[in-house]
Amino acid sequence: MRLTVLGCGDAFGSGGRLNTCFQLDTHRADDGRDTRLLVDCGASAMISMHRFGTDPDSIDAVAVTHLHGDHFGGLPFLLLYLQFEAKRTRPLEIVGPPGIRQRVKDACTALFGSINCDWHFDLTFREWAEGVSMTLGGVAVTPRQVYHGEGITAFGLRITDGEKTFAYSGDTKWVDALPDLAEQADLFIVECYAFDRSLPTHTDYQTLKRHLDELSARRIALTHMSTCMLDRQDELRLEALDDGRVIEL
């Protein structure tokens, strides 16, 4: 399993970082199947993929944690690229919170006007349900609901190929689901927007430090950092991600 950080920035591009987008490449030893999964697809995802050498048409499936533009806003650009530039013919599956199909359609219309959504490839949508595992692109994905504000359905994800496990908090304040997501994971990426300012919808570094002994992941890395976090990286005890980093699990 290999992770490529296509974007680890916040919604505002703090520090010049790109919106959230993780590329997860897996290889299943039992059947030899290779899978390339996007975990979140922020508004800058197409820029990220071209910058870091990923062919957008190589993506097998997309897993979306929540429906904020810095996490799903790249989907209209990806879909139109696959339709008109790549001339894609093989299927693409997108999984996300309830309502994702309509939100993606609405986003396509808002950004590009009245377009023909009669895709040349088989495009399917599925929705997460709390704690219900599903197979996506040949890997097992288990969503756990987290908290990113009233009226927002947000999930953290735990992804395994049978040998390695990748876990990701999504955007959330500290919730009891995070230790379960991180349990014995080979890599747990957790959002950490603020340094010492408690927020109702995001995790801050001081809160995270108080809970570190509850996280049993073998490796923990921080993402979605604001300017104040980036300015205080020399005070962090945990690894901080950068755009373009490749991590072998």
Side-chain angles (χ1 to χ4, degrees):
M1 185 179 285
R2 181 174 67 251
L3 179 84
T4 302
V5 181
L6 295 178
C8 63
D10 61 8
F12 313 118
S14 296
R17 295 177 176 217
L18 297 160
N19 290 155
T20 299
C21 188
F22 301 116
Q23 174 185 316
L24 196 64
D25 292 296
T26 67
H27 175 80
R28 286 177 32 163
D30 57 349
D31 60 8
R33 181 172 179 175
D34 294 318
T35 296
R36 175 162 287 177
L37 182 69
L38 281 190
V39 179
D40 279 341
C41 186
S44 58
M46 289 298 295
I47 298 169
S48 305
M49 284 186 272
H50 289 304
R51 179 174 297 175
F52 298 118
T54 293
D55 178 1
D57 196 29
S58 69
I59 303 303
D60 296 302
V62 184
V64 177
T65 60
H66 66 286
L67 297 175
H68 279 167
D70 57 320
H71 291 260
F72 95 106
L75 286 174
F77 303 96
L78 173 62
L79 291 174
L80 266 67
Y81 177 88
L82 298 179
Q83 175 90 336
F84 297 112
E85 292 293 323
K87 310 295 184 184
R88 187 181 179 105
T89 56
R90 66 192 186 93
L92 178 72
E93 185 167 32
I94 299 173
V95 186
I100 187 169
R101 179 196 297 270
Q102 188 61 47
R103 284 290 293 276
V104 170
K105 181 178 179 180
D106 291 345
C108 287
T109 300
L111 292 170
F112 292 101
S114 180
I115 63 171
N116 179 9
C117 289
D118 183 16
W119 307 105
H120 298 155
F121 52 94
D122 184 11
L123 175 64
T124 59
F125 291 88
R126 285 191 287 170
E127 297 180 350
W128 305 123
E130 161 62 17
V132 178
S133 297
M134 66 171 64
T135 300
L136 179 61
V139 297
V141 186
T142 303
R144 293 299 311 274
Q145 192 158 351
V146 295
Y147 185 82
H148 193 40
E150 290 295 328
I152 299 168
T153 305
F155 293 89
L157 303 177
R158 184 176 171 90
I159 302 172
T160 181
D161 62 0
E163 295 184 359
K164 299 290 186 178
T165 298
F166 166 74
Y168 170 45
S169 70
D171 282 5
T172 180
K173 71 173 187 178
W174 178 268
V175 291
D176 291 340
L178 296 184
D180 293 338
L181 282 168
E183 185 177 1
Q184 298 299 312
D186 295 281
L187 173 64
F188 179 48
I189 291 180
V190 58
E191 77 106 322
C192 193
Y193 182 75
F195 186 82
D196 54 9
R197 181 164 57 102
S198 181
L199 298 170
T201 58
H202 286 283
T203 303
D204 66 277
Y205 182 64
Q206 299 305 322
T207 297
L208 186 59
K209 279 204 308 183
R210 292 196 296 272
H211 289 279
L212 274 181
D213 60 353
E214 301 172 41
L215 302 177
S216 62
R218 296 176 178 86
R219 184 174 180 178
I220 299 172
L222 306 180
T223 190
H224 207 276
M225 294 180 289
S226 65
T227 299
C228 70
M229 275 290 292
L230 296 173
D231 288 345
R232 301 181 73 168
Q233 286 191 75
D234 58 343
E235 300 177 51
L236 303 180
R237 289 170 44 200
L238 294 172
E239 175 182 359
L241 293 180
D242 297 295
D243 291 353
R245 181 177 301 185
V246 177
I247 298 174
E248 298 286 347
L249 277 65

